[in-house]
Amino acid sequence: EIQPCPKGAYRTVMEQSGRVLEPLTPDTVRTTMTTTVHIPALLRWVLTDSLLCWGFDLGAQSTMKSWMHIVENWESSGYPRRIRDSGDFYKPIHDRISSFL
């Protein structure tokens, strides 16, 4: 079950398969997410690129805050129980966590 968004954070709604996981080293991975933002034409005309980038940066910081909340509360998320109950499916994840920790 997905917990409510923490106060002061925004949750980005992503399309299915909007993430790409790219292994970099045996213990790191790069996660790339795509999103589509619809900005009205008048607003695009009025705002400068730097102001738009600043806004997107704020959105990215909020998204990172949400991800860090998930990581910090991993034990209470229910995934450890799911990994235990469905061992065959989650074995690669468990192996990565064990090798990292």
Side-chain angles (χ1 to χ4, degrees):
E1 182 177 314
I2 298 173
Q3 298 297 320
C5 189
K7 184 177 181 179
Y10 298 95
R11 183 168 287 147
T12 303
V13 178
M14 305 299 295
E15 295 180 21
Q16 290 290 344
S17 301
R19 287 182 293 201
V20 176
L21 302 176
E22 176 186 355
L24 299 176
T25 66
D27 60 349
T28 61
V29 64
R30 174 184 298 145
T31 302
T32 306
M33 296 188 302
T34 59
T35 187
T36 303
V37 178
H38 299 284
I39 300 173
L42 179 63
L43 193 59
R44 280 194 316 258
W45 181 77
V46 171
L47 296 176
T48 64
D49 286 344
S50 59
L51 189 56
L52 285 172
C53 288
W54 176 77
F56 283 120
D57 187 46
L58 285 178
Q61 288 176 12
S62 174
T63 299
M64 181 59 94
K65 185 177 178 181
S66 296
W67 276 107
M68 290 307 297
H69 180 73
I70 290 169
V71 170
E72 290 167 357
N73 294 299
W74 177 257
E75 293 299 321
S76 63
S77 68
Y79 274 103
R81 180 186 48 79
R82 289 184 199 136
I83 290 171
R84 208 174 38 253
D85 294 346
S86 304
D88 292 338
F89 180 79
Y90 288 103
K91 185 178 182 326
I93 296 171
H94 183 266
D95 292 344
R96 291 287 282 193
I97 291 171
S98 296
S99 67
F100 180 72
L101 299 175

